[in-house]
Structure formats: structure tokens, C-alpha cells
Amino acid sequence: AQSVAQPEDQVNVAEGNPLTVKCTYSVSGNPYLFWYVQYPNRGLQFLLKYITGDNLVKGSYGFEAEFNKSQTSFHLKKPSALVSDSALYFCAVRSEAGTALIFGKGTTLSVSS
Amino acid sequence: NAGVMQNPRHLVRRRGQEARLRCSPMKGHSHVYWYRQLPEEGLKFMVYLQKENIIDESGMPKERFSAEFPKEGPSILRIQQVVRGDSAAYFCASSPQSNEQFFGPGTRLTVL
């Protein structure tokens, strides 16, 4: 069965420090991996995706993620956090043959000034 | 280039009433997905539609829930005889093909 795990309910970082939001997945075959961000009472905004190619993917707002096949991980990273990055982050996966996205439970990122 | 549109944004219904949620996909997108987000949880897939066809409804409850995506007009998610447990945020997403999905702002359903 396909699944996504985001082991941390909350991540706290100080502004200017690097941040990492963790994600591991389980899927049959090649994974299609995505990160979305959700601000309060808003929909999900697409950040980045991995389909194939370079394991390091760069996305919106300075975020990047690294696909690690051996560890089945797709951690989200940013070199220098901003207070405005504070939001709820979702990792999602689908199989190459699938259609629906399988989401993790989300990680709340809190960046303090 | 408008994004995915959903209306209403907030919907309040009493137990036993019907809820109709509408989703207009992005221009040029023929694939529509509905997801439900319960409090403190991630999004759960409900149904995937293309124009006039239900492709995958494996996430839909067996009773009271239905979805359509007619040739003309928005996609509709219909919940009959709502119960308190249906209270959630319902998100629609669209894609030009079965790949990256763009999400709407959601409809927050409250059942009294």
C-alpha cells in the first residue's frame, strides 16, 4: 500500500537558520513526489516535485528537496528560513501508474524572529 | 489565468440536508480530483474525474456521496443527508493530464 510519513508534527527554527522538513514514502514502482504548503484557511500551493532526473529539486520561494531512493525519503529544505515561511507543509506521493495523491499528515513549520 | 475555483467557500448545513460543492478547474484542465481534509489530518483522496467520466472513486464513501463532471459546467461533489462527521474542508484539484495537481481554496463544510 502507498503511504507517506511526516514524522514531525511541528518544526521550530529561528529566522535565518536552515530548515528541514522530513518525509518518507512507500510506493510500488517509481515514485512521483510532491511538496505543498498550506496557509491558514487557504488551499494548497504547489512548491516542487520530483518525477525523474536530478535528485536535488529546486522549487518556489527558495525551497528545495532531495530525493533519496535508498532511504525512500524526500526531505524539504531551505538554507535560510523566513518568518513568512511559517505554514503547514504536506508531502505527497503517487505511483507512476496511479492518479490520486497520497498525502502525509502535514508538518507545521514555525519560524521565529 | 484564473486558478481552480471552488464555491461556496463556506457552507453550513443542518443534519439531514444536502450539500453541493462546486469546482471549476483551471482553463485547459480536463482532470479533476476531490480530496477531504478532516481536522488535524492530511488530505484524503475521494474521487478522480475526467469530463463526463468517473475514473477512480476508490476514496468515496459508499453511501450519500456522489460526484460528477459534466461536459459543460463545474464539477459537483454532492453529499446527501449530511451528518456531523461530514464536517471538513473539501478541496478540488485539477491537472492538464495525470501529473501535477493544482488546488482550489477549498470549501469548508460545517454540519450543525
Side-chain angles (χ1 to χ4, degrees), chain A residues 36 38 49 94 99-101, chain B residues 35 37 45 91 98 100-101:
Chain A
Y36 287 87
Q38 184 179 31
K49 66 181 178 184
R94 73 168 180 87
T99 53
L101 292 175
Chain B
Y35 293 83
Q37 184 179 31
F45 168 75
F91 290 96
S98 188
E100 179 180 323
Q101 297 177 21

Side-chain angles (χ1 to χ4, degrees), chain B residues 13-108:
Chain B
R13 284 289 179 265
R14 296 190 181 278
R15 281 178 297 169
Q17 290 184 319
E18 179 180 286
R20 281 183 178 240
L21 288 62
R22 286 175 290 277
C23 169
S24 296
M26 288 179 69
K27 187 176 181 180
H29 288 192
S30 59
H31 299 244
V32 166
Y33 310 79
W34 285 94
Y35 293 83
R36 176 165 62 177
Q37 184 179 31
L38 295 170
E40 309 299 324
E41 293 190 17
L43 279 73
K44 303 292 186 186
F45 168 75
M46 299 182 75
V47 62
Y48 163 44
L49 309 102
Q50 295 182 23
K51 283 285 186 182
E52 300 184 277
N53 289 303
I54 296 174
I55 307 302
D56 180 355
E57 56 181 348
S58 59
M60 286 278 271
K62 298 300 180 192
E63 298 176 347
R64 302 189 297 109
F65 284 72
S66 63
E68 62 178 14
F69 188 17
K71 187 177 180 180
E72 301 290 338
S75 175
I76 306 287
L77 179 67
R78 182 181 178 205
I79 312 172
Q80 295 178 290
Q81 299 176 317
V82 295
V83 300
R84 287 217 174 103
D86 297 332
S87 295
Y90 292 82
F91 290 96
C92 169
S94 73
S95 66
Q97 47 192 339
S98 188
N99 199 341
E100 179 180 323
Q101 297 177 21
F102 297 85
F103 283 80
T107 294
R108 279 159 181 80

